Amino acid sequence: MNFSLSEEQKLIKQAAKDFAKQQLLPTVLERDELQKFPKEEIEKLSELGFMGMMVAPEYGGSGLDTLSYVLAMEEISKIDASTSVIMSVNNSLVCWGLEKFGNQDQKEKYLKPLASGKKIGAFCLSEPEAGSDATSQKTTAVDQGDHYLLNGTKNWITNGSSASTYLVMAQTDAEKGHKGINTFIVEKDSPGFTVGPKENKLGIRSSDTHTLIFDQVKVPKENRIGADGFGFTFAMKTLSGGRIGIAAQALGIAAGAYELALDYAKQREAFGKPIGGHQAVAFKLAQMHTKIEAARQLVYKAAWEKDQGLNYDLSSAMAKLNASEVAMWASVEAVQIFGGNGFVKEYHVERLMRDAKITQIYEGTSEIQQLVISRAILQE
Ligand code: CAA
């Protein structure tokens, strides 16, 4: 067993940490308040090669392993989880799926600009009546010979308006159930495609989340990913890796809240000494440190399993379930340690607490992770 990072992984972690501190921290409060998309920040992230971290260099990516991606996600999420979800969706849900299952033409045309960060991608599975119950797709794609006609609505789509390339799941044959679902690459300027209203959210406020409407959208047949009926498997396999990214995001939120609370506990005085000198606060910090380190091991192990070519469906679900619960708990504890200041925006912990909540919901709620885990262990 080797718990040390390679020199390259250490460099990636440091680069992400520096980027978050220098480029994200100065603007994060304003962007949260105004729900302002981090356009310039994402352009700089692209220059660092962080929008297609795991994609092979021949397709415009950085050719790094999953653990490097996790390290970058963790550092960026300590400061700004809105930026990290934009990055995570592009890396895990869009680029990874296209590289793994797209054909050569799709990779040349769509993956290259996405992996280099020239374009941003979105993953469109959720619908008004198909969130956790993802097999119940109501969006339809009717085969018209050389193209499909897409009709339907997608909900809560991250990068909804900032994306140029959308991976859209739709039902092509309702009688076949989930085996009739396909995934299509849809370009933003396709006639009939509309970006609906932006959601006003509790957390990750500077990422853009939208409803998308497809009204008789013509999608060329060559834009279907994989064989006919592969779309749901595509979504599930892609989400397994996505969950490692969100687990890393949750880990970063927890660690960011903990680091702020630790610093504060050393400086803030009450009853004649730093509050960290009181067991009520010191023991909270001890619990946070321990639970965050335990969460880190599960997240890194899931990334390691993926890099080893092992099945990581179970470990990614466990990593996400645990890290998101730890993020929610640790960020609430951090607000408590900050007391009245914790309730004030400029101290950052209330934002981390708001951001933590979504990690228990998106890319599979905590309840769905428990479904995946329980099915896996009962089958063993
Ligand atoms: N890999 C490959 N195939 C898989 C799979 C996996 N990891 N998990 C399930 N499948 C297959 C099953 O084997 C089954 O196929 P067969 O019938 O051929 O065996 C098929 O998928 C359907 O699975 P189930 O029979 O288990 O269906 P179910 O309805 O009981 O459960 C579910 C499915 C696990 C609940 C699934 O719907 C699910 O994961 N739901 C959560 C959806 C989700 O995570 N949404 C996130 C939206 S994206 C997002 O949040 C992005 C963002 O903005 C940040």
Side-chain angles (χ1 to χ4, degrees):
M1 243 182 164
N2 182 359
F3 282 99
S4 51
L5 300 177
S6 69
E7 285 311 308
E8 185 179 54
Q9 287 161 345
K10 284 183 200 161
L11 283 173
I12 298 290
K13 184 175 163 71
Q14 190 59 46
K17 190 179 176 130
D18 293 344
F19 175 83
K21 212 168 169 187
Q22 290 158 17
Q23 306 291 340
L24 299 175
L25 186 59
T27 51
V28 70
L29 288 177
E30 186 197 2
R31 281 186 286 103
D32 176 68
E33 185 71 22
L34 302 177
Q35 299 199 79
K36 187 174 162 208
F37 187 81
K39 190 170 179 298
E40 287 160 26
E41 290 81 358
I42 292 292
E43 280 164 15
K44 287 178 186 151
L45 260 190
S46 307
E47 285 163 22
L48 277 178
F50 279 14
M51 291 302 276
M53 293 187 78
M54 296 170 285
V55 175
E58 62 183 298
Y59 297 118
S62 301
L64 294 165
D65 59 10
T66 311
L67 187 52
S68 299
Y69 162 61
V70 157
L71 294 168
M73 279 294 298
E74 182 183 343
E75 289 305 322
I76 289 169
S77 305
K78 282 182 186 175
I79 305 252
D80 184 358
S82 293
T83 296
S84 73
V85 72
I86 299 162
M87 175 183 155
S88 182
V89 166
N90 201 66
N91 273 278
S92 303
L93 296 187
V94 181
C95 287
W96 186 85
L98 273 174
E99 185 172 30
K100 180 87 180 160
F101 301 112
N103 62 32
Q104 194 56 30
D105 290 345
Q106 291 168 345
K107 289 184 204 179
E108 288 293 332
K109 186 171 177 188
Y110 297 108
L111 178 58
K112 276 186 174 175
L114 289 164
S116 61
K118 288 194 180 80
K119 288 187 175 171
I120 295 177
F123 182 86
C124 313
L125 175 67
S126 303
E127 297 184 355
E129 291 168 67
S132 288
D133 185 9
T135 60
S136 297
Q137 295 287 301
K138 298 282 185 295
T139 298
T140 55
V142 178
D143 192 340
Q144 303 280 322
D146 65 340
H147 66 274
Y148 287 88
L149 270 186
L150 234 69
N151 281 289
T153 302
K154 296 287 174 181
N155 267 36
W156 314 293
I157 304 302
T158 302
N159 301 339
S161 67
S162 56
S164 305
T165 308
Y166 299 78
L167 302 189
V168 183
M169 287 84 211
Q171 182 59 260
T172 48
D173 186 346
E175 281 180 16
K176 291 187 181 160
H178 68 79
K179 291 192 170 80
I181 294 172
N182 277 296
T183 299
F184 301 94
I185 306 168
V186 179
E187 296 181 23
K188 189 178 205 164
D189 55 9
S190 306
F193 171 59
T194 322
V195 176
K198 180 172 167 172
E199 303 294 353
N200 184 2
K201 308 191 297 280
L202 171 77
I204 56 160
R205 284 172 57 80
S206 74
S207 70
D208 63 316
T209 308
H210 289 259
T211 297
L212 305 177
I213 302 126
F214 301 86
D215 180 13
Q216 298 286 85
V217 177
K218 205 170 161 180
V219 182
K221 207 148 215 181
E222 62 264 26
N223 281 22
R224 190 185 74 207
I225 301 178
D228 189 19
F230 179 67
F232 193 72
T233 306
F234 173 89
M236 289 295 107
K237 284 190 180 291
T238 305
L239 275 168
S240 268
R243 288 167 186 166
I244 300 177
I246 299 305
Q249 179 188 48
L251 172 64
I253 293 171
Y258 162 74
E259 287 172 14
L260 289 171
L262 182 66
D263 280 353
Y264 190 76
K266 290 179 188 165
Q267 286 157 23
R268 168 83 175 171
E269 295 201 353
F271 303 102
K273 57 181 174 181
I275 58 171
H278 299 288
Q279 281 191 345
V281 172
F283 284 12
K284 273 193 200 305
L285 290 166
Q287 288 277 356
M288 288 162 88
H289 187 60
T290 306
K291 288 186 181 175
I292 292 166
E293 186 55 32
R296 183 171 287 118
Q297 298 310 320
L298 265 186
V299 180
Y300 288 11
K301 179 163 177 279
W304 177 85
E305 284 187 3
K306 182 164 174 281
D307 288 333
Q308 297 303 308
L310 301 169
N311 185 311
Y312 51 92
D313 295 341
L314 174 59
S315 59
S316 66
M318 291 195 299
K320 181 181 181 289
L321 172 67
N322 182 61
S324 61
E325 304 291 328
V326 170
M328 197 65 252
W329 169 81
S331 57
V332 171
E333 289 293 78
V335 170
Q336 192 67 19
I337 290 172
F338 271 76
N341 282 334
F343 213 60
V344 175
K345 295 204 174 201
E346 69 187 84
Y347 288 88
H348 296 279
V349 282
E350 65 81 35
R351 177 175 50 80
L352 290 166
M353 182 181 77
R354 287 187 284 109
D355 289 350
K357 187 61 206 168
I358 192 61
T359 66
Q360 296 177 308
I361 298 173
Y362 58 21
E363 300 205 23
T365 60
S366 290
E367 290 73 17
I368 290 295
Q369 306 313 323
Q370 289 171 73
L371 184 83
V372 171
I373 296 163
S374 59
R375 282 178 176 175
I377 56 178
L378 286 164
Q379 263 175 17
E380 276 171 9

